[in-house]
Each structure stands twice: as C-alpha cells, then as structure tokens.
C-alpha cells in the first residue's frame, strides 16, 4: 500500500513542496519567451529544457519523494536510458513525417496574436493527445505498443521515457499533424511544446507535490499516478497536459486524498518486463504472448517458449 506522505505543517521541506511546480512553470515560460525573442533553435532549445527538467525533478525526488520505494535502482536507470533513446528516436520519426506538412500548412505570419494562438494551439494539441491516449488503452493494437509504458510497478521521472518507439511516433505524429493542419505557426507549436515537456515530466515525477484546485485544469502527479493504477476504477485521466478533457469526456476520477494502492499492469504476464528491452520492442509483433516474470531471471522469456522447451 502506498504510504501517506502528507507533509507536516512544520516540515522544513513544505516550502519546497509549494514552490516546486511554480518554479517549473516559470522556467518553461522563460525558456519559451527567450527562445522566441532570441530566435534560438527550437529543437536544441526543447532538448536542453528537457534535460534540465529531468535533472530538476530528479533532485526533487530525493528531497521530497512521494514514495521512497519508487526510487530507481542503478540498473533501472540504465534501462530507462535505453528507452529514453528509443523515445527520442520515436519523436524524431514523427517530426520527420510531419515536417513537410507543417512547412506547407503553417502560415508564414501568425493568423492570430500570439497571446490568442498559443492557448488555442494548446487546447487542440491536448485534445488530440487525449483522444490518442484514450484510444491507446482501448484499441487492441495500440495497447500492444502503449502498454510498454505501464509495465513498471513504480512511477518516477526516469520511467516517463519507458515507451515503445512506435507509440511515441504515432502519438506525436497525430498531435503535430493536427496542429499543422489547423495552421498554427511554428512559434506557437514551439511554445506549447515547452509546456508539454514540463507537464509530462512533472506528472510522472515521484515528488510529494500537491496542486490543489489546479488539478482540475492541468495534469499533476496526483492524477497521473492513478492513471497507472491497477484498479480500473482509478485509472482514468487520459489527458497528458490539461485535465479539462477528462472532465468533458467523463474520465476524471481523482479526488483529494485519493491514491493508487498499486501501479503497473493488472496482468503483468501480458507484457515483457521493462528490463527486457529487445522483447519489449518485438512485443507488438507477437500474438497473445504471455511472459513468466521471475525476479531471479535476467531475461523475460515468453511462457509459451518455456513450455515448449520443458515439453521437448
């Protein structure tokens, strides 16, 4: 059971708990504004902000953890690093596929003032992401690639990058193509991309941060832990940045104090373990494969293969 880590009023870290999220938002805003005004390279700026965000949240996980049992081991950090590279590759694939469309469809000059275009782009992008994420949990084939992300039995900033390369590519392609098709400028897409990075990583962070009423607008770690819950009654929250779409479409389940009892897969044998990177990459190609998970086994082998070996 997840322990109650409600900070005591006199805790020396209470100020850090209150300031952690505003500081991240301030950094995201400063990065977006500086990038636009100083004409920084969007790709390099986004990647640098991503690394800075991971470092910031990784430090916070040590000072104000939600659950100390969710800290990654050194071996898990190494595994997360491999998946992180696959996630970057998936993002690059989607960016390449949509680049031509974005160049052709995005206007040379914004059709709306930036103060109006950015919120509208965020609403559309988050809606496209919500639809794809929800489909990924209900479509059989999409779940075979997205379920890789739900294998870990802990939620932290490191395993936010545990994804199948095709899951990232498909999701990012849909979101970016929707924005390009709507004709949003590259500047607005860059600006909301910085916010999306911040939200995606804070939502997965193993930090004892509470957003209060903001949980009904943006996605915080309190909600996203429930999304990873093994209890179907908890596991709503398909929004990645904004929680308003969960309210609109009836998938918002969080209430103050509600916590997951356990996170991960309801049936772990349906996916290979996270440490089995090669098996995870090949998993979507295997039909109805089941896996035996043993803590003392360095590999995850399909149960059917083990059974055949035992019979032979």
């Amino acid at each position: 059971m997840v322990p109650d880590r409600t900070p005591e009023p006199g805790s020396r870290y209470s100020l850090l708990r209150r300031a952690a999220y505003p500081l991240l938002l301030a950094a995201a805003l400063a990065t977006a504004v500086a990038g636009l005004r100083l004409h920084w390279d969007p790709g390099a700026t986004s990647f640098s902000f991503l690394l800075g965000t991971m470092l910031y949240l990784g430090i916070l996980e040590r000072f104000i953890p939600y659950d100390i049992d969710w800290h990654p081991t050194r071996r898990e950090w190494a595994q997360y690093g491999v998946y992180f590279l696959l996630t970057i590759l998936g993002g690059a694939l989607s960016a390449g596929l949509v680049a031509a469309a974005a160049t052709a469809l995005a206007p040379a000059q914004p059709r709306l003032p930036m103060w109006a275009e950015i919120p509208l782009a965020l609403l559309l992008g988050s809606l496209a992401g919500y639809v794809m994420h929800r489909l990924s949990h209900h479509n059989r084939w999409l779940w075979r690639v997205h379920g890789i992300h739900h294998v870990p039995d802990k939620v932290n900033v490191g395993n936010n990058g545990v994804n199948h390369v095709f899951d990232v590519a498909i999701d990012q392609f849909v979101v970016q193509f929707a924005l390009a098709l709507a004709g949003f400028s590259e500047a607005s897409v860059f600006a909301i991309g910085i916010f999306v990075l911040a939200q995606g990583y804070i939502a997965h962070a193993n930090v004892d941060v509470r957003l209060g009423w903001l949980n009904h607008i943006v996605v915080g770690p309190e909600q996203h832990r429930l999304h990873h819950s093994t209890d179907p009654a908890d596991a709503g929250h398909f929004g990645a940045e904004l929680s308003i779409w969960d309210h609109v479409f009836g998938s918002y389940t969080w209430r103050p104090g509600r916590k997951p009892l356990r996170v991960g897969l309801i049936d772990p044998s349906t996916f290979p373990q996270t440490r089995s990177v090669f098996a995870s990459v090949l998993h979507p190609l295997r039909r109805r494969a089941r896996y035996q998970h043993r803590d003392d086994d360095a590999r995850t082998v399909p149960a059917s293969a083990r059974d055949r070996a035992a019979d032979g």
Side-chain angles (χ1 to χ4, degrees), residues 12 21 23 33 50 54 106 111 117 144 203 209 215 259 305:
R12 58 176 175 168
Y21 184 65
L23 286 174
V33 171
L50 166 62
M54 293 178 64
R111 296 173 181 173
E117 189 180 26
R144 292 180 68 81
V209 171
N215 279 291
K259 303 177 180 181

Side-chain angles (χ1 to χ4, degrees), residues 36 107 109-121 183-185 187-188:
L36 292 175
Q109 296 296 328
R111 296 173 181 173
L112 297 170
M114 195 63 68
W115 61 264
E117 189 180 26
I118 289 178
L120 290 176
F184 287 109
S185 66
S188 65

Side-chain angles (χ1 to χ4, degrees), residues 200-223:
Y201 276 89
I202 186 66
H204 280 85
N206 177 28
V207 291
D208 188 13
V209 171
R210 294 171 175 81
L211 305 187
W213 61 269
L214 281 176
N215 279 291
H216 296 284
I217 301 175
V218 297
V219 177
E222 298 156 284
Q223 298 171 45

Side-chain angles (χ1 to χ4, degrees), residues 154-204:
K154 56 183 70 174
V155 181
N156 54 56
V157 68
N159 63 30
N160 181 42
V162 175
N163 301 291
H164 194 283
V165 61
F166 288 156
D167 185 35
V168 178
I170 293 170
D171 180 72
Q172 290 301 306
F173 174 79
V174 169
V175 173
Q176 293 179 31
F177 186 74
L179 293 172
L181 191 63
F184 287 109
S185 66
E186 294 182 11
S188 65
V189 173
F190 161 74
I192 69 168
I194 296 296
F195 176 74
V196 166
L197 285 175
Q199 283 299 130
Y201 276 89
I202 186 66
H204 280 85

Side-chain angles (χ1 to χ4, degrees), residues 3 22 40-41 51 76 102 105 111 132 139 144 149 156 184 232-233 251 254 258 263 272 281 294 312:
W40 290 345
D41 178 75
L51 294 181
E76 285 174 330
L105 297 174
R111 296 173 181 173
M132 276 306 304
N139 177 274
R144 292 180 68 81
H149 179 65
N156 54 56
F184 287 109
S251 51
W254 180 80
R258 189 167 184 174
V263 298
V281 172
R294 286 182 7 189

